[in-house]
Amino acid sequence: MDERFIAYIPTAGSNVAHAEITSPKLVKMMIKRAKKPILILGENLEDKEKELIEKFIEKYNLEVIKTPEEMNLMALIKFLANSSYDLALFVGITYYYLAQAATHLKQFSNVITVSIDKYYQPNTLYSFPNLSMEEYLDYLNKLLEG
Amino acid sequence: MVMENKIEIDAKKLLNPLVKMKNANISMKIKVGEEEEEDWEPMGPTPKPKVPTLRYWDFKLLERYPPFYMPICDMCCLCTFGKCDLSKGKKGACGLNIKAQQARVVLLACCIGAACHAGHSRHLVHHLIEKFGRNYPIDLGNEIEVEMPIARTVMGMKPKTLGDLEKILDYCEEQITHLLSATHTGQEGDYLDFESKALHAGMIDDLAREVGDIAQIVAYNMPKGDEDTPLIDLGFGCIDKNKPVILCIGHNVVPGGYILEYLEEKNMEDEVEVCGICCTAIDITRVSDKAKVVGPLSRQLMFVRSGVADVVVVDEQCIRTDILEEVLKTGAVLIATNEKMCLGLEDVSHMNEDEIISYLLRNRAALILDEEKVGKVAVEVAKIVAKERKDKKTLPNLDEVVELARQCTECGWCNRNCPNAFKVKEAMALAKQGNFDGFVDLYKRCYGCGRCEAICPRNLPIVSMTTKVGEAYYKDLKFKIRAGRGPIKDVEIRSVGAPIVFGDIPGVVALVGCSNHPNGEEEVALIAKEFLERKYIIVATGCAAMAIGMWKDKDGKTLYEKYPGEFRAGGLVNCGSCLSNCHISGAAIKIANIFAKVPLRGNYAEVADYILNKVGAVGVAWGAMSQKAAAIATGVNRWGIPVIVGPHGAKYRRLYLSNGEKFKAKDKKTGEILEIDPVPEHLIVTAENVKECICMIPKLCMRPNDTPKGRANKIYHYVDVYEKYFGRMPPDLEKFVRTEKDIPFMMKDKIMAYLEEKGWKPLEKYPQDPTILY
């Protein structure tokens, strides 16, 4: 079970603090409590995952920025660090690339960062654990419940 | 007074007190053993800049492009106060904060890179002076008068002989020592000053590379800017396995040069294969077109495992540190030739060549620091070892690959330990059923680091399995690369200077760097192809130059066979190895000098200001991996040239990003300080995938100096690539359209509609002659 809480690429984490594991239920609560949430949507999603994420965006009426299509991820992270967004969700971004980028927000901002990807992302503040495809689809479906 | 370059005496001390009392106005200059350097240009303000001399220029850049840090390590473990936790605003025991620590690590990386190139160049110059003498001339022919633009600008000197190059290296080494010392505990404490020092280290790196490349060009008679250098065989498939094979790995041409010399002397050039991996490969093909290029750094482990090489000669830089173990496994012989990489081997340099040959046949590996001996030794040993190894099999056959795959438990740690998270487990699962599709795909994209093997609980030789499948399924691994031509000719600069500066040529794209690609070599070729078709000028060096050659069109032609080697619109210029990156910044400097008459001598900031504002060039290091690549990128950044790195480049942990809002610049013509469009938008930035990289290139080629026609040309390409790769208009286009005149005629309607939607307003005024030096 430990494998669920080790970075998917084990060397991707910074040293001191790694993300707390979160669940679909907690993610939904975080969105409801946030004043200004945003979803950063990458390109690396399978069709089924994409479909569920689109429904999730619609359900919570989330503001979305697509990367890299609409903005370079690093420029976007820089923008978020100095913005009024209080919750940033990440999905579909190249794993090791987000691992690096997220360290900026971790050190230089108060934005709550959450990875809702299939793999445990140590450098956001919260993350889903490492999941199989079936488990992940189940998590995404749970995001749509209620 | 100067005597033989060694002794300096103040002439005034020679005057007797009586003469001094008479207050005589005596001016004298006596030179012995050296010609006085002519007054070729008035000396500028910053010859041989010290660490803080160009700080004001760096701070101008850093104000516009502030460092953006990604602290993948939030601790410091460099002194015994620590480890110190620097996360979330905490300071270390020495008082350092996390930004300064990140900048310090960047400076360290740049110092390592600069030291590496300076050490390499020192070795070359030292060796070549021993061979040819200190007075051996630097002569690049009639078509290259500005022989060393970086040295002219930074040092304020015009080097004429190999001996002059030593003076430049003395300066480089002094600066590197000061820079490195600043990283000691309790020295520099400000992140911007660390960054300024990193920029200084980058500039020193550029200078040191120029020394090394010019030294080897003149001494080895490498091409001196020729557009039509020979097409060289490239790829695994071009090596004739029926001959003895000598493989040279690394960056230093000296041992490989002796091997080629020995073969020529003995008239054996057609009997022995000499090939190379990484920059040594490029440089030996600049010495002889009989030498061959196996491929970039990414193919090192695969090729060694394939067992084709009978003798492996390593020199310095970018060599696998377990190369000895890997070579011995194949039954081949390893020769180490450089003090920087001794590999624990016995130094047999004192023995004569025949004794060394006997030693190597008994012990299979040795350190030979006298490179001249390497020529005969490598060839004669290869001839013997090739016979011994004739039927030696080093890779599993395809049936064995299936058997090995069946041992896999599909734990998935190979995928997780792969830097790119490639689907190794899935390839194994397919191979169990005799289906090699997964491995075939892996072979194309994998850069052979071996981390999958390192973690495999079953110790499966995954790289060897991948290599075998690749060998079996890719029958046509034969490509072409044009031999490195070195510098750009002055006459070429005269022809393209104006179109580049005014924007009629939409940009110069420099494809450089290592092979830490997110998806294999092919993407580099596709970037080159895209912009060659759009009539940009493409320049390439090192592993990127090789990657460009490793793709063929439907007619089986590589880009080097399709496009000319001239520095002109639609030209594909291979400058050479990593050292040859100096010719890319050199070309930008020459545009300032030859086209715009900006004086170079000791005039760094003015030249860099010109490049930043007027020369539409961008560097792309899609597979940047090493500390040398960090130093190279930082060096070109100081000249004002932006750089795009691949997604792994984020691991350098620092980018220079603007906030994308309007910049300020002064119009030299009117003296006004005006708000301008944010171009170039960033100084060093990552791209997540090749689509993003391609779309960023036209944008980062824009400059404030573009004429409306030139800007319209650049905007045309920006919109066109965005539509091609993302199926939409660029989401930030409004930032780069200064007035309606910048809109390309062919796209006027749709761009105007887009701008109206965005509430765009034209700039009332923008500078005709922009500068940030105010």
Side-chain angles (χ1 to χ4, degrees):
Chain A
M1 278 301 282
D2 282 353
E3 289 183 13
R4 291 205 182 264
F5 315 132
I6 297 172
Y8 179 72
I9 296 176
T11 49
S14 67
N15 298 54
V16 179
H18 286 186
E20 283 185 29
I21 297 290
T22 192
S23 64
K25 192 177 167 186
L26 287 170
V27 170
K28 286 189 283 188
M29 283 167 63
M30 281 191 255
I31 295 170
K32 280 177 189 160
R33 283 187 186 178
K35 287 185 184 138
K36 202 175 172 191
I38 188 166
L39 177 83
I40 313 304
L41 176 61
E43 293 186 335
N44 307 326
L45 291 172
E46 306 279 336
D47 288 347
K48 185 69 189 161
E49 296 165 354
K50 205 171 169 184
E51 194 184 303
L52 293 169
I53 291 289
E54 276 165 10
K55 285 183 185 165
F56 170 62
I57 291 166
E58 200 178 327
K59 181 177 170 73
Y60 288 92
N61 195 23
L62 283 170
E63 192 176 335
V64 176
I65 298 182
K66 291 182 192 170
T67 184
E69 183 183 322
E70 292 176 335
M71 208 169 175
N72 170 271
L73 181 68
M74 301 307 175
L76 178 49
I77 293 272
K78 179 174 173 161
F79 163 72
L80 285 179
N82 301 302
S83 73
S84 54
Y85 292 100
D86 55 350
L87 178 71
L89 303 160
F90 295 88
V91 70
I93 297 161
T94 304
Y95 179 83
Y96 60 86
Y97 190 56
L98 176 62
Q100 200 72 33
T103 61
H104 183 85
L105 291 174
K106 185 170 168 179
Q107 300 298 339
F108 305 116
S109 84
N110 294 316
V111 183
I112 305 290
T113 52
V114 186
S115 166
I116 55 168
D117 262 320
K118 191 160 51 185
Y119 300 125
Y120 175 60
Q121 176 57 261
N123 297 333
T124 47
L125 297 186
Y126 298 93
S127 170
F128 285 169
N130 291 316
L131 300 166
S132 68
M133 178 58 101
E134 294 71 31
E135 288 169 330
Y136 185 50
L137 293 177
D138 184 43
Y139 266 51
L140 293 182
N141 276 311
K142 281 183 178 151
L143 282 176
L144 300 174
E145 288 172 6
Chain B
M1 188 162 82
V2 181
M3 295 175 72
E4 292 184 352
N5 303 338
K6 296 276 184 199
I7 305 164
E8 286 191 24
I9 302 167
D10 184 348
K12 284 179 189 165
K13 286 184 184 166
L14 296 176
L15 304 177
N16 71 41
L18 188 68
V19 176
K20 281 184 185 170
M21 278 170 62
K22 299 252 180 193
N23 211 11
N25 187 7
I26 296 175
S27 168
M28 60 186 288
K29 217 171 204 180
I30 303 168
K31 293 211 170 194
V32 181
E34 182 193 8
E35 274 181 44
E36 188 184 337
E37 193 169 312
E38 73 217 63
D39 262 342
W40 49 278
E41 215 170 60
M43 185 63 87
T46 59
K48 295 172 80 176
K50 295 187 186 310
V51 174
T53 308
L54 294 168
R55 189 170 175 257
Y56 71 100
W57 168 250
D58 299 334
F59 275 49
K60 290 262 176 206
L61 290 176
L62 296 169
E63 187 186 352
R64 185 186 271 189
Y65 306 104
F68 170 87
Y69 294 113
M70 297 160 283
I72 194 65
C73 178
D74 39 19
M75 296 180 81
C76 176
C77 51
L78 279 173
C79 83
T80 63
F81 276 154
K83 297 180 179 179
C84 289
D85 171 9
L86 308 176
S87 65
K88 288 305 256 181
K90 292 191 274 298
K91 289 196 283 188
C94 69
L96 205 68
N97 65 32
I98 196 162
K99 275 192 179 178
Q101 172 65 3
Q102 302 312 303
R104 183 186 184 202
V105 175
V106 172
L107 171 58
L108 260 175
C110 291
C111 283
I112 294 170
C116 212
H117 285 133
H120 177 183
S121 298
R122 175 63 82 177
H123 174 269
L124 277 170
V125 170
H126 179 84
H127 177 79
L128 296 172
I129 284 177
E130 266 188 4
K131 198 170 171 182
F132 299 109
R134 189 163 268 109
N135 293 324
Y136 191 86
I138 291 170
D139 179 6
L140 295 171
N142 295 334
E143 293 177 295
I144 300 176
E145 277 183 26
V146 183
E147 71 304 293
M148 292 181 69
I150 301 169
R152 285 188 179 200
T153 313
V154 177
M155 299 292 293
M157 69 184 277
K158 233 167 121 170
K160 294 198 178 97
T161 62
L162 287 179
D164 288 343
L165 300 182
E166 283 192 311
K167 296 176 199 164
I168 303 177
L169 290 174
D170 290 345
Y171 163 74
C172 291
E173 287 155 0
E174 182 194 331
Q175 294 306 302
I176 293 167
T177 306
H178 287 308
L179 291 164
L180 193 54
S181 77
T183 66
H184 190 272
T185 303
Q187 298 253 45
E188 188 56 79
D190 181 81
Y191 74 99
L192 287 178
D193 266 310
F194 269 125
E195 292 293 351
S196 169
K197 290 176 171 67
L199 290 161
H200 194 64
M203 182 194 75
I204 297 299
D205 181 77
D206 213 9
L207 180 61
R209 274 182 277 110
E210 190 180 57
V211 168
D213 210 42
I214 293 297
Q216 64 179 8
I217 286 172
V218 296
Y220 283 97
N221 199 23
M222 289 177 177
K224 300 176 177 76
D226 316 333
E227 311 88 67
D228 295 321
T229 54
L231 286 166
I232 302 291
D233 289 331
L234 162 73
F236 276 31
C238 70
I239 312 299
D240 185 348
K241 297 176 194 173
N242 297 316
K243 294 179 186 173
V245 176
I246 302 172
L247 168 69
C248 302
I249 313 178
H251 282 70
N252 193 318
V253 72
V254 175
Y258 278 115
I259 293 168
L260 294 167
E261 200 177 296
Y262 181 78
L263 287 172
E264 197 186 337
E265 259 174 43
K266 301 286 171 190
N267 207 16
M268 289 196 296
E269 284 165 302
D270 296 325
E271 290 168 35
V272 177
E273 286 281 81
V274 180
C275 56
I277 284 179
C278 210
C279 283
T280 291
I282 290 203
D283 283 343
I284 56 176
T285 60
R286 294 164 85 187
V287 175
S288 162
D289 59 8
K290 303 262 181 182
K292 294 176 178 175
V293 179
V294 173
L297 180 62
S298 47
R299 298 290 155 177
Q300 186 173 175
L301 187 56
M302 288 183 184
F303 189 69
V304 171
R305 289 268 180 99
S306 73
V308 171
D310 298 301
V311 170
V312 176
V313 178
V314 295
D315 47 81
E316 59 176 303
Q317 305 162 42
C318 301
I319 303 156
R320 283 191 67 90
T321 47
D322 61 351
I323 190 74
L324 176 61
E325 181 191 330
E326 290 293 342
V327 170
L328 293 183
K329 273 197 269 184
T330 68
V333 163
L334 181 112
I335 302 173
T337 62
N338 196 288
E339 63 197 14
K340 283 153 227 153
M341 198 188 201
C342 299
L343 296 169
L345 295 168
E346 185 170 340
D347 182 359
V348 296
S349 314
H350 58 284
M351 297 180 186
N352 70 38
E353 285 138 324
D354 293 331
E355 286 169 339
I356 298 175
I357 292 168
S358 306
Y359 178 94
L360 273 171
L361 292 173
R362 287 194 310 274
N363 296 285
R364 314 306 282 187
L367 173 66
I368 310 174
L369 295 173
D370 180 351
E371 291 104 334
E372 199 168 349
K373 292 178 181 168
V374 175
K376 178 178 175 183
V377 169
V379 172
E380 298 304 331
V381 169
K383 282 162 64 184
I384 299 166
V385 172
K387 283 181 195 152
E388 276 175 30
R389 297 176 72 248
K390 205 173 173 200
D391 300 314
K392 188 167 172 73
K393 184 168 89 68
T394 57
L395 292 174
N397 62 36
L398 289 178
D399 290 339
E400 287 166 331
V401 171
V402 174
E403 284 310 308
L404 287 164
R406 286 185 180 146
Q407 294 175 34
C408 169
T409 60
E410 298 182 34
C411 67
W413 277 102
C414 43
N415 293 16
R416 295 181 65 171
N417 215 37
C418 171
N420 280 319
F422 285 151
K423 295 188 171 172
V424 185
K425 181 185 86 173
E426 289 75 4
M428 284 284 184
L430 286 175
K432 284 178 185 179
Q433 281 114 47
N435 178 342
F436 297 114
D437 290 353
F439 273 115
V440 170
D441 179 59
L442 207 53
Y443 180 78
K444 265 189 118 172
R445 302 199 288 151
C446 167
Y447 48 65
C449 69
R451 272 175 46 166
C452 49
E453 287 185 3
I455 205 159
C456 177
R458 292 294 175 108
N459 290 320
L460 295 174
I462 302 167
V463 177
S464 302
M465 294 162 77
T466 311
T467 308
K468 180 64 206 179
V469 173
E471 194 182 275
Y473 279 77
Y474 291 101
K475 298 288 184 198
D476 189 26
L477 293 171
K478 290 180 182 171
F479 307 97
K480 292 283 182 191
I481 178 173
R482 197 177 288 112
R485 57 170 274 188
I488 310 302
K489 288 179 186 167
D490 298 2
V491 66
E492 291 172 291
I493 298 289
R494 277 185 203 104
S495 328
V496 298
I500 289 174
V501 168
F502 299 128
D504 298 328
I505 289 178
V508 181
V509 184
L511 291 164
V512 303
C514 334
S515 9
N516 195 5
H517 306 120
N519 270 307
E521 294 99 358
E522 200 170 289
E523 288 183 344
V524 183
L526 294 177
I527 297 169
K529 178 176 169 285
E530 182 68 59
F531 290 96
L532 283 165
E533 286 168 357
R534 293 175 184 277
K535 300 281 181 196
Y536 283 63
I537 301 175
I538 305 294
V539 284
T541 57
C543 286
M546 299 181 214
I548 289 172
M550 294 171 74
W551 176 87
K552 289 179 187 171
D553 68 5
K554 58 179 182 347
D555 304 322
K557 283 195 170 170
T558 62
L559 294 172
Y560 289 107
E561 291 162 284
K562 288 178 69 148
Y563 292 93
E566 294 158 64
F567 189 77
R568 65 162 165 88
L572 172 56
V573 180
N574 175 16
C575 287
S577 57
C578 276
L579 287 180
S580 316
N581 279 308
C582 62
H583 306 305
I584 300 176
S585 40
I589 299 165
K590 283 192 188 190
I591 290 172
N593 180 236
I594 296 173
F595 165 68
K597 309 287 179 213
V598 178
L600 299 186
R601 195 174 189 187
N603 193 28
Y604 188 95
E606 192 184 344
V607 174
D609 181 61
Y610 184 91
I611 295 170
L612 174 74
N613 286 295
K614 301 186 181 181
V615 180
V618 61
V620 179
W622 194 234
M625 172 278 291
S626 66
Q627 295 86 24
K628 289 184 298 163
I632 293 168
T634 311
V636 301
N637 282 167
R638 200 184 214 193
W639 288 113
I641 301 171
V643 173
I644 302 168
V645 286
H648 287 293
K651 296 173 193 167
Y652 285 125
R653 76 186 64 196
R654 184 269 283 132
L655 302 172
Y656 293 141
L657 305 179
S658 82
N659 59 13
E661 289 166 13
K662 287 193 172 71
F663 293 162
K664 281 188 176 165
K666 181 177 162 181
D667 190 341
K668 276 199 252 184
K669 283 192 176 155
T670 63
E672 282 176 287
I673 293 170
L674 300 167
E675 281 201 326
I676 61 164
D677 47 325
V679 291
E681 191 181 26
H682 304 300
L683 212 47
I684 180 163
V685 61
T686 50
E688 183 176 356
N689 56 33
V690 73
K691 289 192 305 183
E692 186 186 15
C693 176
I694 287 175
C695 291
M696 246 186 222
I697 288 171
K699 183 164 73 165
L700 290 182
C701 285
M702 294 179 196
R703 291 296 178 276
N705 195 64
D706 295 336
T707 59
K709 187 173 156 228
R711 178 60 63 88
N713 190 17
K714 294 180 183 188
I715 286 178
Y716 171 82
H717 291 292
Y718 185 39
V719 172
D720 200 49
V721 289
Y722 228 96
E723 287 181 333
K724 180 173 172 184
Y725 289 95
F726 287 113
R728 57 172 292 167
M729 291 283 274
D732 55 356
L733 181 62
E734 70 281 5
K735 290 183 193 172
F736 309 109
V737 183
R738 296 166 301 186
T739 69
E740 274 190 46
K741 287 181 187 169
D742 288 349
I743 301 172
F745 177 72
M746 302 283 285
M747 295 176 165
K748 190 130 195 168
D749 293 345
K750 67 180 172 192
I751 290 181
M752 278 312 293
Y754 166 91
L755 293 176
E756 270 171 38
E757 199 182 305
K758 290 272 186 170
W760 169 82
K761 287 199 178 92
L763 287 176
E764 283 177 13
K765 226 191 243 187
Y766 59 87
Q768 301 305 302
D769 192 359
T771 174
I772 63 166
L773 285 173
Y774 60 90

